[in-house]
Amino acid sequence: MVDLDFLKQKANAIRLNSIKAVYLAGSGHPGGALSAIDILTVLYFYKMNIDPKRPDLPERDRFVLSKGHATPGLYATLAERGYFPKEELKTFRKLGSSLQGHPDMQRLPGVEMSTGSLGQGFSASVGMALAARLDKRPTHIYTMIGDGEMQEGLVWEAAMAAAHYNLGNLTVIVDWNGLQIDGTNDEVMRIIPVEEKFKSFGWQTELIDGHDMAAIVAALDRAAAAENTPCAIIAKTVKGKGVSYMENNYAWHGKAPDETLARQAVTDLGGRWDE
Ligand SMILES: Cc1ncc(C[n+]2csc(CCOP(=O)(O)OP(=O)(O)O)c2C)c(N)n1
Ligand SMILES: [Mg+2]
């Protein structure tokens, strides 16, 4: 029995720590972190076969944050899961910190791929899934891409290769928040129809509400059960989810709130400023 309340509490704690980290850094990407956090929570607290104390176990599952700018969400999730002390979140984006603006697999245990150049994490995930098969490891690779990221040609080369090689051990989650760096997908470069595109490339697909924990759990379970077909979970999300003034506002793609707004965010999330 999945404890959905536990997952919701974790997601909320992760949202609070993400916002605090961005505020303290004075920079970062809160919008696309907040849209992704419910999915990250289900992956790290329910779905993935991982052990934070043994981050290099060969048979572990892997998560690749292809939309690498969403580090506030990834780092707060890794800290919550016990990969490193939460105190370290205060060093986010500081010189010399392991918690750089984009994830660095050389510096931080738990980061499976260095990402940030959109499209590349997904392609690397295809290679990781092929490698797991060659090695006969039970590893499942999960990768998250942004909807704006879908405009990268590399995404479709990866999608084609994954289907060609029947990569049942690969799941991509599209964080479909409708917004990218400076506008809507429709304004910048239309990506619809999203689900049909993946289907036509030979993928198993499903469309879910990316903030409905039960739906995320069910979709990930079905994706992991697929044997010879890669799965795309198209998750409808809200950029800035949980923070009133950030929701559905692309202005919060890549900037930090000042103290007044950071306090407002903490209040919106039902947290305490001094915790
Ligand atoms: C190859 C590449 N081009 C441009 C950028 C700059 N950039 C960073 S985030 C972003 C927008 C991404 O939008 P989306 O994938 O929708 O992310 P989300 O809404 O989830 O934050 C852009 C253009 C980049 N990181 N890599
Ligand atoms: Mg987006």
Side-chain angles (χ1 to χ4, degrees):
M1 195 50 198
V2 190
D3 188 343
L4 296 176
D5 285 336
F6 168 78
L7 292 175
K8 284 179 198 160
Q9 281 166 20
K10 285 291 172 198
N12 205 62
I14 292 166
R15 283 197 164 86
L16 280 163
N17 287 334
S18 306
I19 290 299
K20 287 178 179 173
V22 173
Y23 162 67
L24 285 174
S27 66
H29 295 81
L34 292 168
S35 60
I37 283 172
D38 292 319
I39 297 156
L40 292 174
T41 302
V42 178
L43 282 167
Y44 279 90
F45 286 89
Y46 165 72
K47 189 67 205 160
M48 287 201 295
N49 174 27
I50 45 170
D51 180 354
K53 303 219 159 33
R54 302 171 71 192
D56 50 4
L57 269 186
E59 65 270 26
R60 72 190 185 280
D61 290 338
R62 268 86 159 160
F63 173 72
V64 174
L65 183 67
S66 194
K67 41 168 271 185
H69 57 281
T71 40
L74 177 65
Y75 294 158
T77 305
L78 290 174
E80 194 70 31
R81 189 69 174 81
Y83 281 89
F84 57 85
K86 286 183 202 164
E87 197 58 23
E88 225 174 302
L89 291 170
K90 293 182 178 158
T91 70
F92 177 50
R93 282 181 165 251
K94 299 268 158 60
L95 201 62
S97 168
S98 302
L99 278 57
Q100 287 302 302
H102 294 78
D104 184 341
M105 65 192 286
Q106 310 286 355
R107 285 173 178 250
L108 192 63
V111 170
E112 300 286 3
M113 185 53 62
S114 300
T115 51
S117 182
L118 296 169
Q120 291 191 353
F122 183 11
S123 312
S125 302
V126 171
M128 291 160 79
L130 278 168
R133 179 198 285 168
L134 273 176
D135 294 348
K136 300 195 177 9
R137 277 183 276 118
T139 302
H140 197 98
I141 318 289
Y142 298 91
T143 186
M144 179 185 278
I145 65 171
D147 45 11
E149 184 173 5
M150 282 180 56
Q151 296 154 358
E152 292 288 343
L154 191 53
V155 164
W156 302 104
E157 294 178 47
M160 204 183 319
H164 176 80
Y165 290 111
N166 306 311
L167 295 180
N169 58 349
L170 177 67
T171 297
V172 65
I173 301 125
V174 181
D175 183 354
W176 192 3
N177 57 32
L179 300 176
Q180 42 194 96
I181 200 168
D182 54 4
T184 64
N185 309 143
D186 286 347
E187 284 160 352
V188 180
M189 176 83 72
R190 202 165 54 240
I191 59 165
I192 52 171
V194 177
E195 194 176 3
E196 289 83 345
K197 275 193 178 71
F198 277 96
K199 253 194 211 338
S200 71
F201 273 71
W203 287 55
Q204 178 173 315
T205 63
E206 50 183 300
L207 181 65
I208 62 163
D209 171 349
H211 301 302
D212 176 339
M213 292 297 191
I216 302 168
V217 163
L220 287 172
D221 280 348
R222 278 191 290 270
E227 287 202 349
N228 297 312
T229 313
C231 291
I233 297 172
I234 321 297
K236 288 286 272 180
T237 60
V238 173
K239 197 152 178 164
K241 176 74 177 174
V243 175
S244 53
Y245 58 91
M246 289 189 186
E247 286 197 359
N248 286 315
N249 184 352
Y250 65 79
W252 290 100
H253 169 80
K255 70 172 177 185
D258 62 13
E259 186 181 331
T260 309
L261 285 175
R263 283 178 180 269
Q264 173 70 49
V266 169
T267 304
D268 289 349
L269 293 164
R272 285 184 39 196
W273 180 251
D274 46 15
E275 257 175 13

